[in-house]
mmCIF file with all atom_site columns, all heavy atoms in Angstrom:
data_model
loop_
_atom_site.group_PDB
_atom_site.id
_atom_site.type_symbol
_atom_site.label_atom_id
_atom_site.label_alt_id
_atom_site.label_comp_id
_atom_site.label_asym_id
_atom_site.label_entity_id
_atom_site.label_seq_id
_atom_site.pdbx_PDB_ins_code
_atom_site.Cartn_x
_atom_site.Cartn_y
_atom_site.Cartn_z
_atom_site.occupancy
_atom_site.B_iso_or_equiv
_atom_site.pdbx_formal_charge
_atom_site.auth_seq_id
_atom_site.auth_comp_id
_atom_site.auth_asym_id
_atom_site.auth_atom_id
_atom_site.pdbx_PDB_model_num
ATOM 1   N N   . GLU A 1 48  ? -0.420 10.239  -113.873 1.00 89.00 ? 48  GLU A N   1
ATOM 2   C CA  . GLU A 1 48  ? 0.025  10.281  -115.256 1.00 89.00 ? 48  GLU A CA  1
ATOM 3   C C   . GLU A 1 48  ? -0.421 11.574  -115.903 1.00 89.00 ? 48  GLU A C   1
ATOM 4   O O   . GLU A 1 48  ? -1.230 12.312  -115.359 1.00 89.00 ? 48  GLU A O   1
ATOM 5   C CB  . GLU A 1 48  ? -0.555 9.088   -116.005 1.00 89.00 ? 48  GLU A CB  1
ATOM 6   C CG  . GLU A 1 48  ? -0.019 7.775   -115.491 1.00 89.00 ? 48  GLU A CG  1
ATOM 7   C CD  . GLU A 1 48  ? -0.552 6.623   -116.305 1.00 89.00 ? 48  GLU A CD  1
ATOM 8   O OE1 . GLU A 1 48  ? -0.040 6.424   -117.411 1.00 89.00 ? 48  GLU A OE1 1
ATOM 9   O OE2 . GLU A 1 48  ? -1.463 5.941   -115.848 1.00 89.00 ? 48  GLU A OE2 1
ATOM 10  N N   . SER A 1 49  ? 0.092  11.788  -117.094 1.00 84.00 ? 49  SER A N   1
ATOM 11  C CA  . SER A 1 49  ? -0.281 12.965  -117.866 1.00 84.00 ? 49  SER A CA  1
ATOM 12  C C   . SER A 1 49  ? -1.797 13.022  -118.007 1.00 84.00 ? 49  SER A C   1
ATOM 13  O O   . SER A 1 49  ? -2.432 12.021  -118.325 1.00 84.00 ? 49  SER A O   1
ATOM 14  C CB  . SER A 1 49  ? 0.404  12.857  -119.223 1.00 84.00 ? 49  SER A CB  1
ATOM 15  O OG  . SER A 1 49  ? -0.219 13.703  -120.121 1.00 84.00 ? 49  SER A OG  1
ATOM 16  N N   . GLN A 1 160 ? 25.260 30.938  -117.751 1.00 82.00 ? 160 GLN A N   1
ATOM 17  C CA  . GLN A 1 160 ? 26.527 30.441  -117.212 1.00 82.00 ? 160 GLN A CA  1
ATOM 18  C C   . GLN A 1 160 ? 26.319 29.322  -116.185 1.00 82.00 ? 160 GLN A C   1
ATOM 19  O O   . GLN A 1 160 ? 27.273 28.812  -115.617 1.00 82.00 ? 160 GLN A O   1
ATOM 20  C CB  . GLN A 1 160 ? 27.306 31.596  -116.568 1.00 82.00 ? 160 GLN A CB  1
ATOM 21  C CG  . GLN A 1 160 ? 27.704 32.649  -117.594 1.00 82.00 ? 160 GLN A CG  1
ATOM 22  C CD  . GLN A 1 160 ? 28.233 33.902  -116.957 1.00 82.00 ? 160 GLN A CD  1
ATOM 23  O OE1 . GLN A 1 160 ? 27.692 34.370  -115.949 1.00 82.00 ? 160 GLN A OE1 1
ATOM 24  N NE2 . GLN A 1 160 ? 29.277 34.466  -117.540 1.00 82.00 ? 160 GLN A NE2 1
ATOM 25  N N   . PRO A 1 267 ? 14.635 -2.620  -111.434 1.00 74.00 ? 267 PRO A N   1
ATOM 26  C CA  . PRO A 1 267 ? 15.668 -1.758  -110.882 1.00 74.00 ? 267 PRO A CA  1
ATOM 27  C C   . PRO A 1 267 ? 17.060 -2.341  -111.056 1.00 74.00 ? 267 PRO A C   1
ATOM 28  O O   . PRO A 1 267 ? 17.229 -3.456  -111.513 1.00 74.00 ? 267 PRO A O   1
ATOM 29  C CB  . PRO A 1 267 ? 15.298 -1.668  -109.411 1.00 74.00 ? 267 PRO A CB  1
ATOM 30  C CG  . PRO A 1 267 ? 14.436 -2.836  -109.163 1.00 74.00 ? 267 PRO A CG  1
ATOM 31  C CD  . PRO A 1 267 ? 13.735 -3.149  -110.420 1.00 74.00 ? 267 PRO A CD  1
ATOM 32  N N   . CYS A 1 269 ? 19.307 -3.605  -109.276 1.00 58.00 ? 269 CYS A N   1
ATOM 33  C CA  . CYS A 1 269 ? 19.922 -4.623  -108.433 1.00 58.00 ? 269 CYS A CA  1
ATOM 34  C C   . CYS A 1 269 ? 20.467 -5.762  -109.281 1.00 58.00 ? 269 CYS A C   1
ATOM 35  O O   . CYS A 1 269 ? 19.718 -6.570  -109.809 1.00 58.00 ? 269 CYS A O   1
ATOM 36  C CB  . CYS A 1 269 ? 18.938 -5.133  -107.393 1.00 58.00 ? 269 CYS A CB  1
ATOM 37  S SG  . CYS A 1 269 ? 17.352 -5.604  -108.067 1.00 58.00 ? 269 CYS A SG  1
ATOM 38  N N   . ARG A 1 276 ? 16.315 -9.283  -119.288 1.00 83.00 ? 276 ARG A N   1
ATOM 39  C CA  . ARG A 1 276 ? 16.718 -8.207  -120.155 1.00 83.00 ? 276 ARG A CA  1
ATOM 40  C C   . ARG A 1 276 ? 16.083 -8.346  -121.539 1.00 83.00 ? 276 ARG A C   1
ATOM 41  O O   . ARG A 1 276 ? 15.948 -9.424  -122.072 1.00 83.00 ? 276 ARG A O   1
ATOM 42  C CB  . ARG A 1 276 ? 18.234 -8.171  -120.279 1.00 83.00 ? 276 ARG A CB  1
ATOM 43  C CG  . ARG A 1 276 ? 18.610 -7.044  -121.198 1.00 83.00 ? 276 ARG A CG  1
ATOM 44  C CD  . ARG A 1 276 ? 19.934 -6.406  -120.990 1.00 83.00 ? 276 ARG A CD  1
ATOM 45  N NE  . ARG A 1 276 ? 20.892 -7.099  -120.199 1.00 83.00 ? 276 ARG A NE  1
ATOM 46  C CZ  . ARG A 1 276 ? 22.013 -7.600  -120.733 1.00 83.00 ? 276 ARG A CZ  1
ATOM 47  N NH1 . ARG A 1 276 ? 22.232 -7.552  -122.012 1.00 83.00 ? 276 ARG A NH1 1
ATOM 48  N NH2 . ARG A 1 276 ? 22.894 -8.139  -119.949 1.00 83.00 ? 276 ARG A NH2 1
ATOM 49  N N   . LYS A 1 277 ? 15.671 -7.250  -122.084 1.00 88.00 ? 277 LYS A N   1
ATOM 50  C CA  . LYS A 1 277 ? 15.061 -7.187  -123.410 1.00 88.00 ? 277 LYS A CA  1
ATOM 51  C C   . LYS A 1 277 ? 13.772 -7.996  -123.516 1.00 88.00 ? 277 LYS A C   1
ATOM 52  O O   . LYS A 1 277 ? 13.381 -8.399  -124.601 1.00 88.00 ? 277 LYS A O   1
ATOM 53  C CB  . LYS A 1 277 ? 16.052 -7.603  -124.506 1.00 88.00 ? 277 LYS A CB  1
ATOM 54  C CG  . LYS A 1 277 ? 17.233 -6.653  -124.590 1.00 88.00 ? 277 LYS A CG  1
ATOM 55  C CD  . LYS A 1 277 ? 18.089 -6.873  -125.804 1.00 88.00 ? 277 LYS A CD  1
ATOM 56  C CE  . LYS A 1 277 ? 17.674 -6.014  -126.950 1.00 88.00 ? 277 LYS A CE  1
ATOM 57  N NZ  . LYS A 1 277 ? 18.671 -5.999  -128.048 1.00 88.00 ? 277 LYS A NZ  1
ATOM 58  N N   . THR A 1 278 ? 13.133 -8.275  -122.376 1.00 89.00 ? 278 THR A N   1
ATOM 59  C CA  . THR A 1 278 ? 11.809 -8.876  -122.441 1.00 89.00 ? 278 THR A CA  1
ATOM 60  C C   . THR A 1 278 ? 10.783 -7.759  -122.298 1.00 89.00 ? 278 THR A C   1
ATOM 61  O O   . THR A 1 278 ? 11.113 -6.654  -121.882 1.00 89.00 ? 278 THR A O   1
ATOM 62  C CB  . THR A 1 278 ? 11.587 -9.884  -121.302 1.00 89.00 ? 278 THR A CB  1
ATOM 63  O OG1 . THR A 1 278 ? 11.830 -9.206  -120.071 1.00 89.00 ? 278 THR A OG1 1
ATOM 64  C CG2 . THR A 1 278 ? 12.516 -11.063 -121.434 1.00 89.00 ? 278 THR A CG2 1
ATOM 65  N N   . LEU A 1 280 ? 8.038  -5.353  -120.922 1.00 91.00 ? 280 LEU A N   1
ATOM 66  C CA  . LEU A 1 280 ? 7.673  -4.847  -119.600 1.00 91.00 ? 280 LEU A CA  1
ATOM 67  C C   . LEU A 1 280 ? 6.166  -5.029  -119.426 1.00 91.00 ? 280 LEU A C   1
ATOM 68  O O   . LEU A 1 280 ? 5.420  -4.962  -120.402 1.00 91.00 ? 280 LEU A O   1
ATOM 69  C CB  . LEU A 1 280 ? 8.018  -3.360  -119.503 1.00 91.00 ? 280 LEU A CB  1
ATOM 70  C CG  . LEU A 1 280 ? 9.495  -2.991  -119.543 1.00 91.00 ? 280 LEU A CG  1
ATOM 71  C CD1 . LEU A 1 280 ? 9.672  -1.500  -119.784 1.00 91.00 ? 280 LEU A CD1 1
ATOM 72  C CD2 . LEU A 1 280 ? 10.169 -3.393  -118.240 1.00 91.00 ? 280 LEU A CD2 1
ATOM 73  N N   . ILE A 1 283 ? -0.188 -1.455  -118.565 1.00 92.00 ? 283 ILE A N   1
ATOM 74  C CA  . ILE A 1 283 ? -1.593 -1.368  -118.168 1.00 92.00 ? 283 ILE A CA  1
ATOM 75  C C   . ILE A 1 283 ? -2.404 -1.358  -119.456 1.00 92.00 ? 283 ILE A C   1
ATOM 76  O O   . ILE A 1 283 ? -2.197 -0.495  -120.303 1.00 92.00 ? 283 ILE A O   1
ATOM 77  C CB  . ILE A 1 283 ? -1.885 -0.079  -117.374 1.00 92.00 ? 283 ILE A CB  1
ATOM 78  C CG1 . ILE A 1 283 ? -0.869 0.092   -116.243 1.00 92.00 ? 283 ILE A CG1 1
ATOM 79  C CG2 . ILE A 1 283 ? -3.297 -0.099  -116.831 1.00 92.00 ? 283 ILE A CG2 1
ATOM 80  C CD1 . ILE A 1 283 ? -1.067 1.361   -115.432 1.00 92.00 ? 283 ILE A CD1 1
ATOM 81  N N   . GLY A 1 285 ? -5.134 -0.735  -122.217 1.00 86.00 ? 285 GLY A N   1
ATOM 82  C CA  . GLY A 1 285 ? -5.999 0.417   -122.485 1.00 86.00 ? 285 GLY A CA  1
ATOM 83  C C   . GLY A 1 285 ? -5.307 1.738   -122.230 1.00 86.00 ? 285 GLY A C   1
ATOM 84  O O   . GLY A 1 285 ? -4.158 1.795   -121.813 1.00 86.00 ? 285 GLY A O   1
ATOM 85  N N   . LEU B 2 20  ? 31.187 34.416  -122.401 1.00 50.00 ? 20  LEU B N   1
ATOM 86  C CA  . LEU B 2 20  ? 31.995 35.604  -122.172 1.00 50.00 ? 20  LEU B CA  1
ATOM 87  C C   . LEU B 2 20  ? 33.287 35.516  -122.982 1.00 50.00 ? 20  LEU B C   1
ATOM 88  O O   . LEU B 2 20  ? 33.676 36.441  -123.667 1.00 50.00 ? 20  LEU B O   1
ATOM 89  C CB  . LEU B 2 20  ? 32.319 35.737  -120.685 1.00 50.00 ? 20  LEU B CB  1
ATOM 90  C CG  . LEU B 2 20  ? 31.117 36.101  -119.806 1.00 50.00 ? 20  LEU B CG  1
ATOM 91  C CD1 . LEU B 2 20  ? 31.515 36.156  -118.350 1.00 50.00 ? 20  LEU B CD1 1
ATOM 92  C CD2 . LEU B 2 20  ? 30.508 37.436  -120.242 1.00 50.00 ? 20  LEU B CD2 1
ATOM 93  N N   . ASP B 2 184 ? 4.980  9.164   -119.627 1.00 84.00 ? 184 ASP B N   1
ATOM 94  C CA  . ASP B 2 184 ? 4.602  8.557   -118.345 1.00 84.00 ? 184 ASP B CA  1
ATOM 95  C C   . ASP B 2 184 ? 5.083  7.122   -118.297 1.00 84.00 ? 184 ASP B C   1
ATOM 96  O O   . ASP B 2 184 ? 5.155  6.467   -119.333 1.00 84.00 ? 184 ASP B O   1
ATOM 97  C CB  . ASP B 2 184 ? 3.084  8.535   -118.217 1.00 84.00 ? 184 ASP B CB  1
ATOM 98  C CG  . ASP B 2 184 ? 2.534  9.909   -117.971 1.00 84.00 ? 184 ASP B CG  1
ATOM 99  O OD1 . ASP B 2 184 ? 3.222  10.699  -117.304 1.00 84.00 ? 184 ASP B OD1 1
ATOM 100 O OD2 . ASP B 2 184 ? 1.438  10.185  -118.452 1.00 84.00 ? 184 ASP B OD2 1
ATOM 101 N N   . SER B 2 186 ? 3.749  4.289   -117.599 1.00 87.00 ? 186 SER B N   1
ATOM 102 C CA  . SER B 2 186 ? 2.933  3.241   -118.220 1.00 87.00 ? 186 SER B CA  1
ATOM 103 C C   . SER B 2 186 ? 3.028  3.322   -119.746 1.00 87.00 ? 186 SER B C   1
ATOM 104 O O   . SER B 2 186 ? 3.042  2.307   -120.429 1.00 87.00 ? 186 SER B O   1
ATOM 105 C CB  . SER B 2 186 ? 1.486  3.339   -117.771 1.00 87.00 ? 186 SER B CB  1
ATOM 106 O OG  . SER B 2 186 ? 0.910  4.519   -118.260 1.00 87.00 ? 186 SER B OG  1
ATOM 107 N N   . LYS B 2 190 ? 5.002  0.756   -122.748 1.00 90.00 ? 190 LYS B N   1
ATOM 108 C CA  . LYS B 2 190 ? 4.388  0.325   -124.017 1.00 90.00 ? 190 LYS B CA  1
ATOM 109 C C   . LYS B 2 190 ? 5.302  0.637   -125.207 1.00 90.00 ? 190 LYS B C   1
ATOM 110 O O   . LYS B 2 190 ? 5.457  -0.188  -126.100 1.00 90.00 ? 190 LYS B O   1
ATOM 111 C CB  . LYS B 2 190 ? 3.040  1.015   -124.221 1.00 90.00 ? 190 LYS B CB  1
ATOM 112 C CG  . LYS B 2 190 ? 1.960  0.443   -123.336 1.00 90.00 ? 190 LYS B CG  1
ATOM 113 C CD  . LYS B 2 190 ? 0.635  1.129   -123.567 1.00 90.00 ? 190 LYS B CD  1
ATOM 114 C CE  . LYS B 2 190 ? -0.395 0.588   -122.596 1.00 90.00 ? 190 LYS B CE  1
ATOM 115 N NZ  . LYS B 2 190 ? -1.612 1.409   -122.549 1.00 90.00 ? 190 LYS B NZ  1
ATOM 116 N N   . ASN B 2 193 ? 8.302  -1.664  -125.238 1.00 94.00 ? 193 ASN B N   1
ATOM 117 C CA  . ASN B 2 193 ? 7.914  -2.974  -125.768 1.00 94.00 ? 193 ASN B CA  1
ATOM 118 C C   . ASN B 2 193 ? 7.787  -2.948  -127.283 1.00 94.00 ? 193 ASN B C   1
ATOM 119 O O   . ASN B 2 193 ? 8.232  -3.871  -127.968 1.00 94.00 ? 193 ASN B O   1
ATOM 120 C CB  . ASN B 2 193 ? 6.583  -3.419  -125.156 1.00 94.00 ? 193 ASN B CB  1
ATOM 121 C CG  . ASN B 2 193 ? 6.726  -3.773  -123.681 1.00 94.00 ? 193 ASN B CG  1
ATOM 122 O OD1 . ASN B 2 193 ? 7.839  -3.869  -123.174 1.00 94.00 ? 193 ASN B OD1 1
ATOM 123 N ND2 . ASN B 2 193 ? 5.623  -3.958  -123.003 1.00 94.00 ? 193 ASN B ND2 1
ATOM 124 N N   . HIS B 2 218 ? 17.769 -2.462  -118.911 1.00 92.00 ? 218 HIS B N   1
ATOM 125 C CA  . HIS B 2 218 ? 16.736 -3.394  -119.353 1.00 92.00 ? 218 HIS B CA  1
ATOM 126 C C   . HIS B 2 218 ? 16.736 -3.561  -120.872 1.00 92.00 ? 218 HIS B C   1
ATOM 127 O O   . HIS B 2 218 ? 16.488 -4.623  -121.403 1.00 92.00 ? 218 HIS B O   1
ATOM 128 C CB  . HIS B 2 218 ? 15.369 -2.897  -118.887 1.00 92.00 ? 218 HIS B CB  1
ATOM 129 C CG  . HIS B 2 218 ? 14.228 -3.696  -119.439 1.00 92.00 ? 218 HIS B CG  1
ATOM 130 N ND1 . HIS B 2 218 ? 13.931 -4.956  -118.972 1.00 92.00 ? 218 HIS B ND1 1
ATOM 131 C CD2 . HIS B 2 218 ? 13.348 -3.449  -120.432 1.00 92.00 ? 218 HIS B CD2 1
ATOM 132 C CE1 . HIS B 2 218 ? 12.904 -5.440  -119.664 1.00 92.00 ? 218 HIS B CE1 1
ATOM 133 N NE2 . HIS B 2 218 ? 12.526 -4.537  -120.551 1.00 92.00 ? 218 HIS B NE2 1
ATOM 134 N N   . ALA B 2 220 ? 19.149 -2.544  -123.331 1.00 96.00 ? 220 ALA B N   1
ATOM 135 C CA  . ALA B 2 220 ? 20.321 -2.585  -124.209 1.00 96.00 ? 220 ALA B CA  1
ATOM 136 C C   . ALA B 2 220 ? 21.161 -3.835  -124.014 1.00 96.00 ? 220 ALA B C   1
ATOM 137 O O   . ALA B 2 220 ? 21.115 -4.484  -122.974 1.00 96.00 ? 220 ALA B O   1
ATOM 138 C CB  . ALA B 2 220 ? 21.180 -1.351  -123.963 1.00 96.00 ? 220 ALA B CB  1
ATOM 139 N N   . ASP B 2 221 ? 21.946 -4.162  -125.047 1.00 96.00 ? 221 ASP B N   1
ATOM 140 C CA  . ASP B 2 221 ? 22.911 -5.244  -124.934 1.00 96.00 ? 221 ASP B CA  1
ATOM 141 C C   . ASP B 2 221 ? 24.197 -4.746  -124.299 1.00 96.00 ? 221 ASP B C   1
ATOM 142 O O   . ASP B 2 221 ? 24.882 -5.471  -123.596 1.00 96.00 ? 221 ASP B O   1
ATOM 143 C CB  . ASP B 2 221 ? 23.218 -5.805  -126.325 1.00 96.00 ? 221 ASP B CB  1
ATOM 144 C CG  . ASP B 2 221 ? 21.970 -6.341  -126.989 1.00 96.00 ? 221 ASP B CG  1
ATOM 145 O OD1 . ASP B 2 221 ? 21.528 -7.428  -126.592 1.00 96.00 ? 221 ASP B OD1 1
ATOM 146 O OD2 . ASP B 2 221 ? 21.416 -5.655  -127.866 1.00 96.00 ? 221 ASP B OD2 1
ATOM 147 N N   . GLU B 2 238 ? 25.189 -5.781  -116.726 1.00 88.00 ? 238 GLU B N   1
ATOM 148 C CA  . GLU B 2 238 ? 25.424 -6.301  -115.367 1.00 88.00 ? 238 GLU B CA  1
ATOM 149 C C   . GLU B 2 238 ? 26.856 -6.026  -114.898 1.00 88.00 ? 238 GLU B C   1
ATOM 150 O O   . GLU B 2 238 ? 27.089 -5.775  -113.729 1.00 88.00 ? 238 GLU B O   1
ATOM 151 C CB  . GLU B 2 238 ? 25.047 -7.779  -115.223 1.00 88.00 ? 238 GLU B CB  1
ATOM 152 C CG  . GLU B 2 238 ? 25.484 -8.741  -116.294 1.00 88.00 ? 238 GLU B CG  1
ATOM 153 C CD  . GLU B 2 238 ? 24.555 -8.736  -117.505 1.00 88.00 ? 238 GLU B CD  1
ATOM 154 O OE1 . GLU B 2 238 ? 23.934 -7.688  -117.797 1.00 88.00 ? 238 GLU B OE1 1
ATOM 155 O OE2 . GLU B 2 238 ? 24.481 -9.768  -118.178 1.00 88.00 ? 238 GLU B OE2 1
ATOM 156 N N   . ALA B 2 255 ? 23.166 8.236   -108.506 1.00 76.00 ? 255 ALA B N   1
ATOM 157 C CA  . ALA B 2 255 ? 22.098 9.219   -108.659 1.00 76.00 ? 255 ALA B CA  1
ATOM 158 C C   . ALA B 2 255 ? 20.785 8.586   -109.101 1.00 76.00 ? 255 ALA B C   1
ATOM 159 O O   . ALA B 2 255 ? 19.745 9.212   -109.028 1.00 76.00 ? 255 ALA B O   1
ATOM 160 C CB  . ALA B 2 255 ? 22.512 10.280  -109.677 1.00 76.00 ? 255 ALA B CB  1
ATOM 161 N N   . VAL B 2 261 ? 13.875 -0.171  -105.377 1.00 37.00 ? 261 VAL B N   1
ATOM 162 C CA  . VAL B 2 261 ? 14.194 -1.583  -105.325 1.00 37.00 ? 261 VAL B CA  1
ATOM 163 C C   . VAL B 2 261 ? 13.939 -2.163  -103.959 1.00 37.00 ? 261 VAL B C   1
ATOM 164 O O   . VAL B 2 261 ? 13.301 -3.204  -103.799 1.00 37.00 ? 261 VAL B O   1
ATOM 165 C CB  . VAL B 2 261 ? 15.711 -1.787  -105.554 1.00 37.00 ? 261 VAL B CB  1
ATOM 166 C CG1 . VAL B 2 261 ? 16.005 -3.250  -105.718 1.00 37.00 ? 261 VAL B CG1 1
ATOM 167 C CG2 . VAL B 2 261 ? 16.206 -0.971  -106.688 1.00 37.00 ? 261 VAL B CG2 1
ATOM 168 N N   . CYS B 2 269 ? 11.753 -7.436  -108.826 1.00 30.00 ? 269 CYS B N   1
ATOM 169 C CA  . CYS B 2 269 ? 12.862 -7.960  -108.036 1.00 30.00 ? 269 CYS B CA  1
ATOM 170 C C   . CYS B 2 269 ? 12.512 -9.130  -107.130 1.00 30.00 ? 269 CYS B C   1
ATOM 171 O O   . CYS B 2 269 ? 11.780 -8.993  -106.194 1.00 30.00 ? 269 CYS B O   1
ATOM 172 C CB  . CYS B 2 269 ? 13.507 -6.880  -107.176 1.00 30.00 ? 269 CYS B CB  1
ATOM 173 S SG  . CYS B 2 269 ? 15.214 -6.674  -107.620 1.00 30.00 ? 269 CYS B SG  1
#
Side-chain angles (χ1 to χ4, degrees):
Chain A
E48 295 183 77
S49 162
Q160 296 169 319
C269 50
R276 180 152 16 112
K277 296 191 92 168
T278 55
L280 294 166
I283 310 179
Chain B
L20 290 178
D184 288 327
S186 67
K190 285 181 184 167
N193 290 350
H218 173 74
D221 300 285
E238 45 278 29
V261 189
C269 241

